[in-house]
Amino acid sequence: MSDIIQLLPDAVANQIAAGEVVQRPASAVKELVENAIDSGADKIQLLLKDSGKALIQVIDNGCGMSGTDARMCFERHATSKIRKAEDLFAIRTMGFRGEAMASIAAIAQVEMKTRRYEDELGTYICIEGSEVISQEACATSAGTSISVKNLFYNTPARRNFLKSNPVELRHIIDEFQRVALAHPQIFFTMHHDGQEVYHLPSSQLKQRIVHLFGNNYNQRLVPVEEDTTIINLRGFVGKPEFARRTRGEQFFFVNNRFIRDNYLNHAVMIAFEELLPEDTYPFYVLYIDIDPSKIDINVHPTKTEIKYQDEKAIYAIIRSAVKRSLGRYNITPSLDFDQENSIEHLITAKPLEEITPPSISFNPNFNPFDPVEKPAPRESSYQNSHNPYKGGMTQNWETLYEISKTDTRQQQEIIPDDSFEINNQTISKSSERQLFQIQNRYILSQIKSGFMLISQQAAHERILYERYLLQLQNHSGTSQQSLFPQTVTLNSSDFTLLKELLPDIKALGFDIREFGKNTVVVDGIPADVNPASEHQLLEHLLEGFKNNMAILKLDKRDTLARTLARNAATKAGTKLTLEEMNLLIDQLFACQLPNIALNGKPVISTFTMTELADRFEK
């Protein structure tokens, strides 16, 4: 039998490695931008077309490369960052593996222009599928410009697994934000399809956060700083009242490298204990500076996981530093009882001589039943022939009550009031129901075999959810126009998501139009949504959508209907009138699944007389 083990060709090996290093356009963006940072650049430009599928171009003013280095950088395991294995524990650069450029060149068409400052001419290289097409001298500015065209052009199966352009753009924005946060001293720009998405001048960390996430973050940040012999910690955390329902805006950096670490994230969450509402997550951007010899970053190809020698001490330092910062800046709410009960600011002091007692004037001869003489209006032919009350207001006044009684009887005959059945229990008619609200959270209704309890919030969520699904299918959402349209500015990631969802959002009844960079104008909101701040409504809608997509992984329309229903539903703790409770029950039993809440739990619980007898009687 002949030998069957053989050495793979370099092109095949590079494509295999590319599957780990370059998973989508955002992965290529991350590798190229980090290489630009390692080159010492203080100005980096990112240009995209079709969310990176057609073009990813990174231009920097770093040190540049010689002709030999330009060709060598596309070889596997070729790097300028390390020389021996011991260097892995003294790494201060972003890259060190020497796999990124070779992997990108294996699955794309790459063009590179580079020149060192001391050279007169630069180098131009064109590579397709790991094969060098051309290499020649060229005139170019100092630094490096790399263009990655037609990503995954020679691996069509991999290209088919890419998501839509808005989704891929959001992943690129996430990677760009992480790199920009790690290096606020570098000037970054990002353009997509000819439009500028980010323009980030060199600044301090707080200004960089504001430039990335919006001006409203300027008042949300609490500084954190702690220097110890183990680590140096600095950064910002968000105030508890601005916590969100998604984990998206949480960033840990170790030696300016973005990492994911659930253990350290738990330290921050413990520091916020009893300050956050349920199922919400705070904003934080924290930087850990640690001796490279005490960590190991060669754990995962994406370099987002790190092992520490003494992670328990790091956990304790982060928890105590964040907790002290929250207390130092008086984040917990306070009440000024003196100011609250004081009425001195409500009364304007006046001299005693200027104070006059109030007087009352009236006409003692006024009689409301006296007819008031007015000039007779010109009567139309319709009034002359069809007005039975032409003789005066006091004539035939008693017929008013007869008309009201007749209308009531007619309404009772026209409008059906059928009984419902749930769990084989017959529910009485609206006119026969005896309803009670318990703790402003549950509705108790008496039925023939006992009683039932209805969760008012879960019931309203189910009603709105099925209504919004129908509106999305039929594009029949009604809009309540605003008297004064509101301008809402979002961060780039949320703005991209909003543009993706805009057709479905309009189908629900939102009247929204784009208004410049990362800005929209809200002209109207759905008619059945309680009036609120447009910015807050959109922010909650987008946050809930991202949270539902991450957890439930439902289709887009189902997730949108579910999110808006939870935001618009009547919350537990709201007092309802008898008419509102009856309407809620009628609408609930008109749903397709009245007994199942959006979280899968029951909406209605029934209790029979037999169960009550077993509980109380012997």
Side-chain angles (χ1 to χ4, degrees), residues 301-455:
T302 59
K303 299 185 284 289
T304 57
E305 298 178 13
I306 291 180
K307 290 184 178 180
Y308 313 89
Q309 285 187 1
D310 193 359
E311 61 181 5
K312 291 185 178 180
I314 298 175
Y315 179 99
I317 292 171
I318 293 175
R319 182 187 60 184
S320 61
V322 172
K323 183 173 290 189
R324 185 172 67 244
S325 295
L326 293 174
R328 180 186 303 172
Y329 290 91
N330 198 20
I331 299 305
T332 54
S334 61
L335 294 176
D336 188 349
F337 292 98
D338 295 333
Q339 180 70 23
E340 190 75 20
N341 297 327
S342 176
I343 60 173
E344 60 181 356
H345 299 290
L346 304 178
I347 301 176
T348 304
K350 296 179 67 175
L352 291 177
E353 58 271 11
E354 295 184 10
I355 299 177
T356 58
S359 60
I360 301 175
S361 60
F362 63 94
N363 182 8
N365 299 321
F366 174 74
N367 187 349
F369 298 100
D370 288 342
V372 180
E373 295 184 0
K374 295 183 179 179
R378 184 177 176 180
E379 294 182 352
S380 64
S381 59
Y382 175 82
Q383 289 175 322
N384 290 330
S385 58
H386 297 284
N387 189 356
Y389 307 106
K390 185 174 62 176
M393 291 296 295
T394 57
Q395 295 182 2
N396 301 326
W397 59 270
E398 64 276 2
T399 59
L400 174 65
Y401 297 96
E402 296 180 2
I403 294 173
S404 64
K405 294 177 181 178
T406 304
D407 291 342
T408 303
R409 287 194 298 269
Q410 291 176 353
Q411 289 179 357
Q412 291 177 351
E413 293 175 358
I414 294 174
I415 300 176
D417 193 8
D418 299 328
S419 60
F420 305 102
E421 188 171 309
I422 184 74
N423 293 341
N424 298 323
Q425 302 291 333
T426 302
I427 312 303
S428 60
K429 301 178 181 180
S430 300
S431 58
E432 301 175 357
R433 292 187 192 137
Q434 295 183 9
L435 302 179
F436 305 94
Q437 193 178 20
I438 302 176
Q439 298 292 334
N440 293 338
R441 299 172 64 91
Y442 304 99
I443 299 174
L444 186 148
S445 177
Q446 181 175 337
I447 57 179
K448 293 182 179 180
S449 61
F451 67 91
M452 64 177 180
L453 281 177
I454 301 174
S455 172

Side-chain angles (χ1 to χ4, degrees), residues 227-346:
D227 292 336
T228 67
T229 57
I230 301 175
I231 63 170
N232 294 329
L233 179 68
R234 61 185 178 88
F236 293 91
V237 296
K239 296 180 179 179
E241 58 265 29
F242 298 107
R244 293 192 169 190
R245 293 188 177 275
T246 54
R247 300 176 181 266
E249 297 177 347
Q250 297 181 338
F251 303 91
F252 263 119
F253 298 93
V254 175
N255 294 345
N256 291 333
R257 182 190 305 278
F258 173 77
I259 65 163
R260 294 184 176 92
D261 196 313
N262 293 331
Y263 185 64
L264 299 186
N265 175 75
H266 186 265
V268 178
M269 298 301 295
I270 289 296
F272 276 90
E273 196 172 18
E274 298 181 358
L275 294 176
L276 291 177
E278 187 179 358
D279 295 331
T280 57
Y281 305 94
F283 169 89
Y284 62 78
V285 181
L286 296 176
Y287 297 81
I288 300 174
D289 190 15
I290 189 172
D291 185 357
S293 63
K294 296 182 180 180
I295 59 174
D296 183 9
I297 61 177
N298 190 26
V299 177
H300 193 273
T302 59
K303 299 185 284 289
T304 57
E305 298 178 13
I306 291 180
K307 290 184 178 180
Y308 313 89
Q309 285 187 1
D310 193 359
E311 61 181 5
K312 291 185 178 180
I314 298 175
Y315 179 99
I317 292 171
I318 293 175
R319 182 187 60 184
S320 61
V322 172
K323 183 173 290 189
R324 185 172 67 244
S325 295
L326 293 174
R328 180 186 303 172
Y329 290 91
N330 198 20
I331 299 305
T332 54
S334 61
L335 294 176
D336 188 349
F337 292 98
D338 295 333
Q339 180 70 23
E340 190 75 20
N341 297 327
S342 176
I343 60 173
E344 60 181 356
H345 299 290
L346 304 178

Side-chain angles (χ1 to χ4, degrees), residues 336-613:
D336 188 349
F337 292 98
D338 295 333
Q339 180 70 23
E340 190 75 20
N341 297 327
S342 176
I343 60 173
E344 60 181 356
H345 299 290
L346 304 178
I347 301 176
T348 304
K350 296 179 67 175
L352 291 177
E353 58 271 11
E354 295 184 10
I355 299 177
T356 58
S359 60
I360 301 175
S361 60
F362 63 94
N363 182 8
N365 299 321
F366 174 74
N367 187 349
F369 298 100
D370 288 342
V372 180
E373 295 184 0
K374 295 183 179 179
R378 184 177 176 180
E379 294 182 352
S380 64
S381 59
Y382 175 82
Q383 289 175 322
N384 290 330
S385 58
H386 297 284
N387 189 356
Y389 307 106
K390 185 174 62 176
M393 291 296 295
T394 57
Q395 295 182 2
N396 301 326
W397 59 270
E398 64 276 2
T399 59
L400 174 65
Y401 297 96
E402 296 180 2
I403 294 173
S404 64
K405 294 177 181 178
T406 304
D407 291 342
T408 303
R409 287 194 298 269
Q410 291 176 353
Q411 289 179 357
Q412 291 177 351
E413 293 175 358
I414 294 174
I415 300 176
D417 193 8
D418 299 328
S419 60
F420 305 102
E421 188 171 309
I422 184 74
N423 293 341
N424 298 323
Q425 302 291 333
T426 302
I427 312 303
S428 60
K429 301 178 181 180
S430 300
S431 58
E432 301 175 357
R433 292 187 192 137
Q434 295 183 9
L435 302 179
F436 305 94
Q437 193 178 20
I438 302 176
Q439 298 292 334
N440 293 338
R441 299 172 64 91
Y442 304 99
I443 299 174
L444 186 148
S445 177
Q446 181 175 337
I447 57 179
K448 293 182 179 180
S449 61
F451 67 91
M452 64 177 180
L453 281 177
I454 301 174
S455 172
Q456 66 183 42
Q457 180 174 342
H460 201 202
E461 287 179 358
R462 165 56 62 179
I463 295 167
L464 294 178
Y465 168 70
E466 294 195 5
R467 182 184 303 169
Y468 292 148
L469 274 184
L470 187 62
Q471 290 176 359
L472 285 170
Q473 293 173 1
N474 303 329
H475 292 78
S476 58
T478 56
S479 177
Q480 178 181 356
Q481 296 295 308
S482 302
L483 183 60
F484 300 103
Q486 298 295 316
T487 302
V488 178
T489 301
L490 305 168
N491 61 55
S492 296
S493 180
D494 287 346
F495 183 72
T496 304
L497 177 60
L498 180 63
K499 288 200 299 183
E500 180 186 356
L501 300 176
L502 203 54
D504 291 324
I505 287 179
K506 288 183 177 180
L508 289 171
F510 284 92
D511 188 359
I512 299 177
R513 50 190 169 90
E514 294 186 36
F515 190 70
K517 179 181 178 182
N518 295 343
T519 305
V520 295
V521 174
V522 182
D523 293 314
I525 60 176
D528 49 5
V529 173
N530 294 328
S533 168
E534 282 79 359
H535 187 278
Q536 185 178 9
L537 182 61
L538 281 182
E539 188 176 77
H540 288 173
L541 181 64
L542 296 176
E543 284 300 310
F545 179 85
K546 290 186 288 187
N547 190 38
N548 286 333
M549 285 293 289
I551 297 175
L552 302 177
K553 299 187 183 299
L554 302 173
D555 70 283
K556 183 171 63 175
R557 289 189 172 183
D558 191 283
T559 302
L560 195 59
R562 187 180 299 266
T563 301
L564 186 58
R566 284 180 170 170
N567 288 331
T570 301
K571 301 298 184 288
T574 304
K575 185 174 180 58
L576 301 179
T577 63
L578 183 60
E579 292 79 7
E580 290 172 337
M581 288 188 282
N582 270 312
L583 179 61
L584 185 70
I585 293 176
D586 292 340
Q587 291 178 344
L588 175 63
F589 290 121
C591 294
Q592 295 181 355
L593 298 173
N595 198 32
I596 301 177
L598 298 188
N599 58 5
K601 296 183 179 180
V603 177
I604 304 169
S605 294
T606 59
F607 299 85
T608 64
M609 296 301 297
T610 303
E611 293 175 349
L612 294 178

Side-chain angles (χ1 to χ4, degrees), residues 152-166:
F152 301 119
Y153 82 101
N154 55 353
T155 54
R158 194 63 176 272
R159 189 178 182 89
N160 292 335
F161 278 101
L162 295 179
K163 304 297 183 181
S164 63
N165 282 358

Side-chain angles (χ1 to χ4, degrees), residues 178-197:
R178 294 163 186 167
V179 175
L181 283 173
H183 304 276
Q185 75 282 0
I186 298 178
F187 174 73
F188 287 97
T189 61
M190 175 178 168
H191 292 76
H192 179 248
D193 290 340
Q195 295 184 351
E196 186 177 63
V197 180

